[in-house]
Amino acid sequence: MKRAAAALVPLLAALTLAGCVGTADGPGTPAPSSSPTVTFTNPANPTPPVDNATADPVPEAGTDSQAAAIDTAEKAVAAFARPDLSYDEWINGLYPYLTQTGAAAYEDTDPARVPVRQVTGAGTILPASTEVALIVQVPTDAGPYNVSLSRPSPDAAWLADRIRPAEG
């Protein structure tokens, strides 16, 4: 009898490790696991996620909003077009018209290298303007410059992100 019991111990151990021993739920029911179930997908044929949500279109900037944007763009280019100033005077004159992104973009600019000397006409709004982002083209003595303006909401002031030649 000892021999039969000795032979049964390795068999029970093997069945327990294989997860084939019954639990309180009945014979053949796998023992509960505390680890989460992992489901594998076929990486050779992944299914991309689907986003069925639609975004509401942002309304176009109104007439008053466009006028304010043009005014800000013209003032920003006029402040930018001061190569005769020291760096500190130049950047401090430009900061009021810039977003934080714009301020960071011009921190290392040498004003003596700015080719623009003056605004030569009225700015115009380029197509695809919205209440929170638009581009104003401002004529200068160095050619037209595009000013990218943005604001966090329709009630906020317009500020320049970038001032750059229209052709570049």
Side-chain angles (χ1 to χ4, degrees):
M1 189 73 170
K2 285 184 180 183
R3 230 174 161 187
L8 190 57
V9 171
L11 179 62
L12 287 175
L15 290 174
T16 301
L17 291 176
C20 295
V21 173
T23 63
D25 293 334
T29 304
S33 172
S34 61
S35 61
T37 303
V38 177
T39 305
F40 294 97
T41 59
N42 183 355
N45 189 15
T47 303
V50 177
D51 182 4
N52 291 329
T54 57
D56 292 332
V58 178
E60 186 174 335
T63 305
D64 291 344
S65 180
Q66 289 184 11
I70 290 169
D71 184 56
T72 298
E74 290 171 353
K75 288 178 179 176
V77 174
F80 179 74
R82 299 292 312 269
D84 55 319
L85 297 179
S86 71
Y87 172 78
D88 288 336
E89 290 176 300
W90 179 80
I91 197 71
N92 287 328
L94 191 55
Y95 276 149
Y97 305 106
L98 299 175
T99 62
Q100 287 183 326
T101 302
Y106 295 103
E107 279 182 351
D108 295 325
T109 301
D110 178 0
R113 298 188 62 142
V114 173
V116 181
R117 303 288 188 261
Q118 67 180 359
V119 172
T120 60
T124 57
I125 304 286
L126 296 182
S129 67
T130 71
E131 273 296 335
V132 293
L134 49 71
I135 298 173
V136 176
Q137 191 166 89
V138 178
T140 74
D141 61 333
Y145 267 65
N146 287 348
V147 182
S148 300
L149 299 162
S150 65
R151 59 186 180 175
S153 71
D155 299 331
W158 288 107
L159 294 173
D161 294 311
R162 297 294 287 179
I163 302 166
R164 61 190 180 284
E167 295 178 8

